[in-house]
Structure formats: structure tokens, C-alpha cells
């Protein structure tokens, strides 16, 4: 019923969406790194806050300053702090085939901790963005519906970043 994946540049998500693009019964949902919020300058939610431009030889959506220069972006996730999104995602957005939702650092960290505690799966912080939205969406769905969430990467490399985010010192 829904396929959810994190979106920075978007290669991970397009791989998950590809087989479902023509199946309009399936919702395609990309989760962007909203950082400290899309209403702040500390975000990397390109589809939600960017505008069309050209960067690295491709036309797509990019976070830009007032002069059209690529703007600095922020996310707790190094893999999602890219100032643009692949043109495939710009197209899916423009035709209304995929949704792109912002997920904050706090929501991603909570999802990281939740999945780690409840299932023993330590997701990469990137994937935790998709897990966070999946948790929200599941509450709105019927028990006979299903969600596919792409969980890529390893979160063990991110444990120290999560601890720093929570203000904890791992050396105590």
C-alpha cells in the first residue's frame, strides 16, 4: 500500500520506488531530512524548501540562496545533507506520483532508538527518517494494509552521533 524510503540525492529511494511507479494503488513516499525544521535554515528538505535550478549538470530542485547559488544544508545524517534531489524525484513530484515529506532530526533519532530497542535492528540515521514516517503512517492505516520501508546501511556507525545529539558522552 505504501513504499517509504529516505531521500537525499535520491538513489536509494528511486531503487525502491522503481517497480511501483506504474502501480497507482501504491503510495510512494520519500522522506527528506528536515534537520531542525523546514522553517529554519538548518534543513536539507530539498523538495519541500528548494526550487528548480541546475547543479552538477542536472536540472532539478535545489536549496538555493536569493541569488540562485547552492545554499548550505544541514541534517544529523551525513548521507542526506545534499542540497538537491535527483531529477527522477523532481519528475515524480511534479507529476504528483510521489509524495515528499520532511522528517526532523528529532523524529529520526526517536525512530532510530525505537527500532534499536524494540527489534534489535540498528538502522542508519538516513533510514531512520523513513522509519519515523512509517511509524506515523502506520497509525492511519488499516490492519490489512502494508508498508514497505527501505532500511539501508548500518546504524552502528551512527551510535556516537546519536549519543552526541542526546548530549551524552560515550567515554564516561
Amino acid at each position: 500500500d505504501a513504499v517509504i524510503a529516505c531521500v537525499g540525492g535520491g538513489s536509494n529511494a528511486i531503487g525502491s520506488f522503481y517497480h511501483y511507479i506504474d502501480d497507482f494503488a501504491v503510495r510512494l513516499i520519500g522522506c527528506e531530512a528536515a534537520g531542525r525544521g523546514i522553517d529554519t535554515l538548518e534543513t536539507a528538505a530539498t523538495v519541500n524548501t528548494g526550487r528548480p535550478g541546475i547543479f552538477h549538470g542536472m536540472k532539478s530542485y535545489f536549496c538555493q540562496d536569493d541569488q540562485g547559488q547552492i545554499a548550505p544544508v544541514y541534517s544529523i545524517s551525513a548521507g542526506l545533507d545534499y542540497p538537491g534531489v535527483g531529477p527522477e524525484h523532481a519528475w515524480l513530484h511534479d507529476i504528483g506520483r510521489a509524495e515528499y515529506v520532511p522528517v526532523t532530526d528529532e523524529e529520526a533519532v526517536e525512530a532510530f532508538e525505537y527500532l534499536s530497542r524494540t527489534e534489535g535492528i540498528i538502522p542508519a540515521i538516513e533510514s531512520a527518517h523513513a522509519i519515523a514516517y512509517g511509524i506515523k503512517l502506520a497509525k492511519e492505516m488499516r490492519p490489512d494494509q502494508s508498508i514497505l520501508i527501505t532500511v539501508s546501511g548500518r546504524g552502528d556507525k551512527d551510535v556516537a552521533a546519536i549519543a552526541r545529539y542526546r548530549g551524552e558522552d560515550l567515554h564516561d
Side-chain angles (χ1 to χ4, degrees):
D1 297 286
V3 176
I4 304 174
C6 62
V7 175
S11 60
N12 175 329
I14 204 66
S16 298
F17 292 178
Y18 176 75
H19 293 286
Y20 299 94
I21 290 173
D22 293 328
D23 186 349
F24 293 95
V26 176
R27 289 174 65 186
L28 304 178
I29 305 168
C31 300
E32 295 193 293
R36 294 199 172 96
I38 61 171
D39 56 340
T40 74
L41 294 177
E42 295 182 292
T43 186
T46 304
V47 175
N48 283 274
T49 64
R51 61 184 196 270
I54 297 174
F55 184 55
H56 291 161
M58 68 177 174
K59 182 177 181 184
S60 191
Y61 288 98
F62 297 97
C63 295
Q64 302 171 51
D65 65 19
D66 292 337
Q67 281 91 44
Q69 297 299 310
I70 299 303
V73 294
Y74 164 80
S75 169
I76 190 173
S77 169
L80 298 182
D81 65 353
Y82 183 68
V85 65
E88 302 88 348
H89 290 289
W91 176 70
L92 289 172
H93 171 265
D94 288 350
I95 66 170
R97 179 61 190 99
E99 310 164 45
Y100 295 88
V101 298
V103 177
T104 65
D105 287 351
E106 181 62 26
E107 292 168 318
V109 168
E110 287 175 7
F112 176 98
E113 293 169 339
Y114 176 81
L115 191 64
S116 298
R117 273 194 318 272
T118 61
E119 300 296 330
I121 298 169
I122 306 172
I125 295 177
E126 294 86 351
S127 297
H129 286 73
I131 293 161
Y133 192 75
I135 291 168
K136 283 183 188 178
L137 182 61
K139 294 174 185 176
E140 302 169 8
M141 295 178 72
R142 299 185 316 267
D144 64 321
Q145 293 181 303
S146 60
I147 301 171
L148 184 150
I149 301 174
T150 303
V151 180
S152 60
R154 322 181 339 245
D156 59 322
K157 65 177 178 38
D158 296 323
V159 171
I162 298 293
R164 280 191 303 275
Y165 180 83
R166 290 289 189 218
E168 299 172 16
D169 184 357
L170 296 179
H171 295 74
D172 285 345

